[in-house]
Amino acid sequence: AQTVTQSQPEMSVQEAETVTLSCTYDTSESDYYLFWYKQPPSRQMILVIRQEAYKQQNATENRFSVNFQKAAKSFSLKISDSQLGDAAMYFCAYRSAHRGATNKLIFGTGTLLAVQP
Amino acid sequence: DTAVSQTPKYLVTQMGNDKSIKCEQNLGHDTMYWYKQDSKKFLKIMFSYNNKELIINETVPNRFSPKSPDKAHLNLHINSLELGDSAVYFCASTPMATLTDTQYFGPGTRLTVL
């Protein structure tokens, strides 16, 4: 079974600085998708970024980028120029791309990010 | 326009009661999900329906019964509520049961069982 691990329960960053959130996963599959979701205090789950495992190029979305290391099964999220609105719980998630697999997301335990003004 | 909506947003009830949470999506998606987020913020899949057909049932007690009257709706009925059922329940949807599309989440329903 696949598992997702986020080893940092809490992180803090100064406004305008850069922070990296860690995520590792365990799978025997070769094809899959990885996601970072953001959950602000409003509780809404918001997709931040996604990565297809077959792509070597790291995904980027404006100030958000990932460092995808397939061999190491690592998928970290870098937030540049942190803003107060980035304060939230961040979840790493895995989804199989295997034929016949279901579309369920497997989540890590989350990292609570605080942004200091 | 709300993409994935859930009602109610908050639900407080007594142990032993039966309650329902409703989910609707106006995205034209074929596949819908229920996830549970516990008090430690851990999120886990409960059910998934594709075109009204159950495709995932993750060892959830049979007190929980999902119902999909049509592909735009997936409701969650819970019988004989227990304290441990207190959690936030999220509905999500995706265009079809392929493996390429992002899931869109509803705002969540916070259920408190007293």
Side-chain angles (χ1 to χ4, degrees), chain A residues 34-40 44-51 61 64 75 90-91 93 95 105 107, chain B residues 101-105:
Chain A
L34 296 165
F35 304 83
W36 279 98
Y37 278 88
K38 169 185 177 181
Q39 187 179 38
Q44 181 72 50
M45 292 290 288
I46 302 164
L47 178 68
V48 175
I49 201 166
R50 58 178 273 169
Q51 173 83 39
E61 287 287 342
F64 298 87
F75 182 60
Y90 286 82
F91 291 96
R95 191 180 77 222
L105 289 169
F107 287 93
Chain B
D101 293 297
T102 299
Q103 292 182 24
Y104 296 86
F105 283 80

mmCIF file of all heavy atoms in Angstrom, chain A residues 34-40 44-51 61 64 75 90-91 93 95 105 107, chain B residues 101-105:
data_model
loop_
_atom_site.group_PDB
_atom_site.id
_atom_site.type_symbol
_atom_site.label_atom_id
_atom_site.label_comp_id
_atom_site.label_asym_id
_atom_site.label_seq_id
_atom_site.Cartn_x
_atom_site.Cartn_y
_atom_site.Cartn_z
ATOM 1 N N LEU A 34 1.324 13.304 -7.979
ATOM 2 C CA LEU A 34 1.553 13.886 -6.658
ATOM 3 C C LEU A 34 0.956 15.286 -6.623
ATOM 4 O O LEU A 34 0.990 16.011 -7.625
ATOM 5 C CB LEU A 34 3.047 13.942 -6.348
ATOM 6 C CG LEU A 34 3.743 12.585 -6.257
ATOM 7 C CD1 LEU A 34 5.249 12.752 -6.315
ATOM 8 C CD2 LEU A 34 3.341 11.861 -4.975
ATOM 9 N N PHE A 35 0.442 15.644 -5.477
ATOM 10 C CA PHE A 35 -0.248 16.924 -5.333
ATOM 11 C C PHE A 35 0.154 17.595 -4.021
ATOM 12 O O PHE A 35 0.503 16.938 -3.045
ATOM 13 C CB PHE A 35 -1.772 16.720 -5.276
ATOM 14 C CG PHE A 35 -2.356 15.974 -6.440
ATOM 15 C CD1 PHE A 35 -2.339 14.584 -6.464
ATOM 16 C CD2 PHE A 35 -2.929 16.663 -7.496
ATOM 17 C CE1 PHE A 35 -2.883 13.884 -7.533
ATOM 18 C CE2 PHE A 35 -3.485 15.977 -8.564
ATOM 19 C CZ PHE A 35 -3.460 14.586 -8.580
ATOM 20 N N TRP A 36 0.062 18.900 -4.028
ATOM 21 C CA TRP A 36 0.066 19.678 -2.792
ATOM 22 C C TRP A 36 -1.265 20.426 -2.724
ATOM 23 O O TRP A 36 -1.630 21.132 -3.677
ATOM 24 C CB TRP A 36 1.213 20.678 -2.748
ATOM 25 C CG TRP A 36 2.525 20.067 -2.339
ATOM 26 C CD1 TRP A 36 3.540 19.655 -3.149
ATOM 27 C CD2 TRP A 36 2.957 19.820 -0.998
ATOM 28 N NE1 TRP A 36 4.562 19.148 -2.400
ATOM 29 C CE2 TRP A 36 4.236 19.246 -1.079
ATOM 30 C CE3 TRP A 36 2.387 20.027 0.267
ATOM 31 C CZ2 TRP A 36 4.969 18.873 0.050
ATOM 32 C CZ3 TRP A 36 3.110 19.667 1.387
ATOM 33 C CH2 TRP A 36 4.381 19.101 1.275
ATOM 34 N N TYR A 37 -1.952 20.227 -1.606
ATOM 35 C CA TYR A 37 -3.193 20.950 -1.336
ATOM 36 C C TYR A 37 -2.953 21.880 -0.148
ATOM 37 O O TYR A 37 -2.208 21.561 0.785
ATOM 38 C CB TYR A 37 -4.337 19.994 -0.991
ATOM 39 C CG TYR A 37 -5.027 19.381 -2.183
ATOM 40 C CD1 TYR A 37 -4.562 18.198 -2.748
ATOM 41 C CD2 TYR A 37 -6.160 19.972 -2.732
ATOM 42 C CE1 TYR A 37 -5.213 17.621 -3.836
ATOM 43 C CE2 TYR A 37 -6.821 19.399 -3.818
ATOM 44 C CZ TYR A 37 -6.335 18.233 -4.360
ATOM 45 O OH TYR A 37 -6.977 17.670 -5.431
ATOM 46 N N LYS A 38 -3.634 23.001 -0.180
ATOM 47 C CA LYS A 38 -3.572 23.989 0.891
ATOM 48 C C LYS A 38 -4.934 24.047 1.571
ATOM 49 O O LYS A 38 -5.972 24.073 0.896
ATOM 50 C CB LYS A 38 -3.239 25.355 0.271
ATOM 51 C CG LYS A 38 -3.387 26.554 1.179
ATOM 52 C CD LYS A 38 -3.139 27.837 0.389
ATOM 53 C CE LYS A 38 -3.359 29.072 1.238
ATOM 54 N NZ LYS A 38 -3.144 30.325 0.463
ATOM 55 N N GLN A 39 -4.915 24.057 2.904
ATOM 56 C CA GLN A 39 -6.159 24.195 3.655
ATOM 57 C C GLN A 39 -6.033 25.361 4.626
ATOM 58 O O GLN A 39 -5.446 25.240 5.697
ATOM 59 C CB GLN A 39 -6.497 22.908 4.418
ATOM 60 C CG GLN A 39 -7.866 22.963 5.081
ATOM 61 C CD GLN A 39 -8.223 21.676 5.814
ATOM 62 O OE1 GLN A 39 -7.366 21.036 6.439
ATOM 63 N NE2 GLN A 39 -9.488 21.287 5.733
ATOM 64 N N PRO A 40 -6.546 26.530 4.249
ATOM 65 C CA PRO A 40 -6.515 27.689 5.149
ATOM 66 C C PRO A 40 -7.529 27.504 6.271
ATOM 67 O O PRO A 40 -8.267 26.519 6.277
ATOM 68 C CB PRO A 40 -6.893 28.853 4.224
ATOM 69 C CG PRO A 40 -7.651 28.237 3.103
ATOM 70 C CD PRO A 40 -7.151 26.826 2.957
ATOM 71 N N GLN A 44 -11.428 25.175 3.393
ATOM 72 C CA GLN A 44 -11.498 24.779 1.990
ATOM 73 C C GLN A 44 -10.191 24.126 1.550
ATOM 74 O O GLN A 44 -9.115 24.608 1.852
ATOM 75 C CB GLN A 44 -11.765 26.023 1.129
ATOM 76 C CG GLN A 44 -11.880 25.745 -0.343
ATOM 77 C CD GLN A 44 -13.173 25.025 -0.684
ATOM 78 O OE1 GLN A 44 -14.255 25.424 -0.292
ATOM 79 N NE2 GLN A 44 -13.055 23.943 -1.439
ATOM 80 N N MET A 45 -10.282 23.024 0.823
ATOM 81 C CA MET A 45 -9.102 22.352 0.272
ATOM 82 C C MET A 45 -8.824 22.937 -1.109
ATOM 83 O O MET A 45 -9.662 22.854 -2.005
ATOM 84 C CB MET A 45 -9.352 20.853 0.153
ATOM 85 C CG MET A 45 -9.477 20.139 1.481
ATOM 86 S SD MET A 45 -7.903 20.057 2.342
ATOM 87 C CE MET A 45 -7.041 18.850 1.353
ATOM 88 N N ILE A 46 -7.647 23.502 -1.276
ATOM 89 C CA ILE A 46 -7.305 24.203 -2.511
ATOM 90 C C ILE A 46 -6.089 23.543 -3.133
ATOM 91 O O ILE A 46 -5.060 23.385 -2.480
ATOM 92 C CB ILE A 46 -6.994 25.683 -2.220
ATOM 93 C CG1 ILE A 46 -8.197 26.355 -1.534
ATOM 94 C CG2 ILE A 46 -6.616 26.423 -3.497
ATOM 95 C CD1 ILE A 46 -7.863 27.671 -0.880
ATOM 96 N N LEU A 47 -6.205 23.158 -4.399
ATOM 97 C CA LEU A 47 -5.048 22.577 -5.085
ATOM 98 C C LEU A 47 -3.997 23.648 -5.320
ATOM 99 O O LEU A 47 -4.286 24.712 -5.867
ATOM 100 C CB LEU A 47 -5.471 21.975 -6.415
ATOM 101 C CG LEU A 47 -4.334 21.377 -7.235
ATOM 102 C CD1 LEU A 47 -3.778 20.140 -6.555
ATOM 103 C CD2 LEU A 47 -4.799 21.047 -8.642
ATOM 104 N N VAL A 48 -2.775 23.356 -4.909
ATOM 105 C CA VAL A 48 -1.666 24.284 -5.105
ATOM 106 C C VAL A 48 -0.883 23.926 -6.363
ATOM 107 O O VAL A 48 -0.614 24.774 -7.216
ATOM 108 C CB VAL A 48 -0.720 24.265 -3.882
ATOM 109 C CG1 VAL A 48 0.512 25.134 -4.138
ATOM 110 C CG2 VAL A 48 -1.458 24.715 -2.628
ATOM 111 N N ILE A 49 -0.541 22.637 -6.486
ATOM 112 C CA ILE A 49 0.313 22.220 -7.588
ATOM 113 C C ILE A 49 0.224 20.704 -7.738
ATOM 114 O O ILE A 49 -0.081 20.003 -6.771
ATOM 115 C CB ILE A 49 1.770 22.686 -7.314
ATOM 116 C CG1 ILE A 49 2.601 22.752 -8.580
ATOM 117 C CG2 ILE A 49 2.424 21.838 -6.236
ATOM 118 C CD1 ILE A 49 3.904 23.526 -8.407
ATOM 119 N N ARG A 50 0.451 20.225 -8.950
ATOM 120 C CA ARG A 50 0.446 18.794 -9.189
ATOM 121 C C ARG A 50 1.644 18.418 -10.057
ATOM 122 O O ARG A 50 2.146 19.251 -10.824
ATOM 123 C CB ARG A 50 -0.845 18.337 -9.866
ATOM 124 C CG ARG A 50 -1.127 19.008 -11.192
ATOM 125 C CD ARG A 50 -2.394 18.465 -11.825
ATOM 126 N NE ARG A 50 -2.129 17.288 -12.624
ATOM 127 C CZ ARG A 50 -3.067 16.498 -13.105
ATOM 128 N NH1 ARG A 50 -4.327 16.712 -12.817
ATOM 129 N NH2 ARG A 50 -2.758 15.464 -13.849
ATOM 130 N N GLN A 51 2.048 17.162 -9.926
ATOM 131 C CA GLN A 51 3.207 16.663 -10.666
ATOM 132 C C GLN A 51 2.896 15.275 -11.183
ATOM 133 O O GLN A 51 2.445 14.417 -10.412
ATOM 134 C CB GLN A 51 4.433 16.608 -9.738
ATOM 135 C CG GLN A 51 5.667 15.962 -10.327
ATOM 136 C CD GLN A 51 6.475 16.914 -11.181
ATOM 137 O OE1 GLN A 51 6.634 18.087 -10.855
ATOM 138 N NE2 GLN A 51 6.984 16.419 -12.299
ATOM 139 N N GLU A 61 4.042 26.830 -10.261
ATOM 140 C CA GLU A 61 2.823 27.639 -10.352
ATOM 141 C C GLU A 61 3.099 28.943 -9.621
ATOM 142 O O GLU A 61 2.959 29.045 -8.415
ATOM 143 C CB GLU A 61 1.627 26.927 -9.705
ATOM 144 C CG GLU A 61 1.060 25.765 -10.463
ATOM 145 C CD GLU A 61 0.274 26.181 -11.706
ATOM 146 O OE1 GLU A 61 -0.127 27.370 -11.794
ATOM 147 O OE2 GLU A 61 0.079 25.325 -12.576
ATOM 148 N N PHE A 64 4.970 29.040 -6.324
ATOM 149 C CA PHE A 64 5.052 27.679 -5.811
ATOM 150 C C PHE A 64 5.785 26.786 -6.812
ATOM 151 O O PHE A 64 5.484 26.818 -8.014
ATOM 152 C CB PHE A 64 3.646 27.125 -5.572
ATOM 153 C CG PHE A 64 2.860 27.891 -4.540
ATOM 154 C CD1 PHE A 64 2.110 28.994 -4.901
ATOM 155 C CD2 PHE A 64 2.887 27.515 -3.212
ATOM 156 C CE1 PHE A 64 1.387 29.714 -3.957
ATOM 157 C CE2 PHE A 64 2.168 28.218 -2.254
ATOM 158 C CZ PHE A 64 1.426 29.325 -2.628
ATOM 159 N N PHE A 75 9.084 14.706 -2.630
ATOM 160 C CA PHE A 75 8.265 15.682 -3.372
ATOM 161 C C PHE A 75 8.081 16.904 -2.475
ATOM 162 O O PHE A 75 7.070 17.066 -1.815
ATOM 163 C CB PHE A 75 6.914 15.022 -3.697
ATOM 164 C CG PHE A 75 5.974 15.887 -4.511
ATOM 165 C CD1 PHE A 75 6.324 16.344 -5.766
ATOM 166 C CD2 PHE A 75 4.713 16.206 -4.007
ATOM 167 C CE1 PHE A 75 5.444 17.118 -6.507
ATOM 168 C CE2 PHE A 75 3.821 16.984 -4.746
ATOM 169 C CZ PHE A 75 4.192 17.436 -5.994
ATOM 170 N N TYR A 90 -0.747 22.524 4.878
ATOM 171 C CA TYR A 90 -0.410 22.025 3.547
ATOM 172 C C TYR A 90 -0.352 20.502 3.571
ATOM 173 O O TYR A 90 0.334 19.911 4.411
ATOM 174 C CB TYR A 90 0.924 22.600 3.077
ATOM 175 C CG TYR A 90 0.807 24.047 2.672
ATOM 176 C CD1 TYR A 90 0.839 25.057 3.640
ATOM 177 C CD2 TYR A 90 0.639 24.413 1.341
ATOM 178 C CE1 TYR A 90 0.709 26.394 3.282
ATOM 179 C CE2 TYR A 90 0.510 25.734 0.977
ATOM 180 C CZ TYR A 90 0.536 26.724 1.954
ATOM 181 O OH TYR A 90 0.406 28.046 1.595
ATOM 182 N N PHE A 91 -1.061 19.898 2.623
ATOM 183 C CA PHE A 91 -1.109 18.447 2.535
ATOM 184 C C PHE A 91 -0.466 17.976 1.233
ATOM 185 O O PHE A 91 -0.771 18.497 0.155
ATOM 186 C CB PHE A 91 -2.562 17.943 2.560
ATOM 187 C CG PHE A 91 -3.243 18.127 3.885
ATOM 188 C CD1 PHE A 91 -4.049 19.224 4.112
ATOM 189 C CD2 PHE A 91 -3.096 17.191 4.890
ATOM 190 C CE1 PHE A 91 -4.694 19.404 5.325
ATOM 191 C CE2 PHE A 91 -3.734 17.355 6.110
ATOM 192 C CZ PHE A 91 -4.521 18.468 6.322
ATOM 193 N N ALA A 93 -0.203 14.778 -1.315
ATOM 194 C CA ALA A 93 -1.100 13.664 -1.631
ATOM 195 C C ALA A 93 -0.591 12.897 -2.842
ATOM 196 O O ALA A 93 0.049 13.464 -3.735
ATOM 197 C CB ALA A 93 -2.518 14.173 -1.885
ATOM 198 N N ARG A 95 -1.651 9.882 -5.866
ATOM 199 C CA ARG A 95 -2.716 9.144 -6.531
ATOM 200 C C ARG A 95 -2.098 8.222 -7.559
ATOM 201 O O ARG A 95 -1.254 8.642 -8.360
ATOM 202 C CB ARG A 95 -3.726 10.069 -7.194
ATOM 203 C CG ARG A 95 -4.985 9.329 -7.657
ATOM 204 C CD ARG A 95 -5.956 10.267 -8.293
ATOM 205 N NE ARG A 95 -5.556 10.625 -9.641
ATOM 206 C CZ ARG A 95 -5.642 11.871 -10.121
ATOM 207 N NH1 ARG A 95 -6.101 12.837 -9.385
ATOM 208 N NH2 ARG A 95 -5.263 12.116 -11.345
ATOM 209 N N LEU A 105 -7.245 9.791 -3.443
ATOM 210 C CA LEU A 105 -6.055 10.490 -2.990
ATOM 211 C C LEU A 105 -5.618 9.906 -1.648
ATOM 212 O O LEU A 105 -6.443 9.664 -0.769
ATOM 213 C CB LEU A 105 -6.332 11.983 -2.816
ATOM 214 C CG LEU A 105 -6.535 12.793 -4.093
ATOM 215 C CD1 LEU A 105 -7.067 14.185 -3.763
ATOM 216 C CD2 LEU A 105 -5.223 12.902 -4.855
ATOM 217 N N PHE A 107 -3.352 10.944 1.484
ATOM 218 C CA PHE A 107 -2.803 12.177 2.033
ATOM 219 C C PHE A 107 -1.733 11.919 3.082
ATOM 220 O O PHE A 107 -1.770 10.916 3.807
ATOM 221 C CB PHE A 107 -3.908 13.005 2.692
ATOM 222 C CG PHE A 107 -4.843 13.671 1.719
ATOM 223 C CD1 PHE A 107 -6.017 13.057 1.317
ATOM 224 C CD2 PHE A 107 -4.546 14.927 1.210
ATOM 225 C CE1 PHE A 107 -6.884 13.670 0.430
ATOM 226 C CE2 PHE A 107 -5.402 15.554 0.318
ATOM 227 C CZ PHE A 107 -6.573 14.924 -0.077
ATOM 228 N N ASP B 101 -7.160 13.491 -13.718
ATOM 229 C CA ASP B 101 -7.820 14.747 -13.406
ATOM 230 C C ASP B 101 -7.813 15.086 -11.924
ATOM 231 O O ASP B 101 -7.882 14.220 -11.075
ATOM 232 C CB ASP B 101 -9.266 14.718 -13.918
ATOM 233 C CG ASP B 101 -9.303 14.674 -15.429
ATOM 234 O OD1 ASP B 101 -8.825 15.632 -16.048
ATOM 235 O OD2 ASP B 101 -9.771 13.665 -15.967
ATOM 236 N N THR B 102 -7.747 16.374 -11.678
ATOM 237 C CA THR B 102 -7.686 16.891 -10.322
ATOM 238 C C THR B 102 -9.035 16.753 -9.635
ATOM 239 O O THR B 102 -10.085 16.890 -10.260
ATOM 240 C CB THR B 102 -7.277 18.366 -10.369
ATOM 241 O OG1 THR B 102 -5.989 18.444 -10.961
ATOM 242 C CG2 THR B 102 -7.243 18.979 -8.985
ATOM 243 N N GLN B 103 -9.013 16.500 -8.350
ATOM 244 C CA GLN B 103 -10.235 16.474 -7.559
ATOM 245 C C GLN B 103 -10.510 17.867 -7.006
ATOM 246 O O GLN B 103 -9.613 18.547 -6.514
ATOM 247 C CB GLN B 103 -10.101 15.471 -6.425
ATOM 248 C CG GLN B 103 -10.040 14.037 -6.936
ATOM 249 C CD GLN B 103 -9.966 13.013 -5.851
ATOM 250 O OE1 GLN B 103 -10.384 13.244 -4.724
ATOM 251 N NE2 GLN B 103 -9.439 11.844 -6.187
ATOM 252 N N TYR B 104 -11.772 18.265 -7.080
ATOM 253 C CA TYR B 104 -12.216 19.544 -6.549
ATOM 254 C C TYR B 104 -13.031 19.280 -5.290
ATOM 255 O O TYR B 104 -13.962 18.491 -5.307
ATOM 256 C CB TYR B 104 -13.059 20.286 -7.592
ATOM 257 C CG TYR B 104 -12.265 20.649 -8.823
ATOM 258 C CD1 TYR B 104 -12.125 19.740 -9.871
ATOM 259 C CD2 TYR B 104 -11.631 21.874 -8.919
ATOM 260 C CE1 TYR B 104 -11.379 20.058 -10.993
ATOM 261 C CE2 TYR B 104 -10.891 22.208 -10.045
ATOM 262 C CZ TYR B 104 -10.766 21.290 -11.078
ATOM 263 O OH TYR B 104 -10.025 21.602 -12.180
ATOM 264 N N PHE B 105 -12.658 19.985 -4.233
ATOM 265 C CA PHE B 105 -13.266 19.724 -2.935
ATOM 266 C C PHE B 105 -14.367 20.730 -2.605
ATOM 267 O O PHE B 105 -14.291 21.908 -2.978
ATOM 268 C CB PHE B 105 -12.196 19.781 -1.840
ATOM 269 C CG PHE B 105 -11.339 18.557 -1.783
ATOM 270 C CD1 PHE B 105 -10.292 18.378 -2.679
ATOM 271 C CD2 PHE B 105 -11.580 17.574 -0.840
ATOM 272 C CE1 PHE B 105 -9.502 17.242 -2.634
ATOM 273 C CE2 PHE B 105 -10.799 16.423 -0.791
ATOM 274 C CZ PHE B 105 -9.758 16.263 -1.689
#
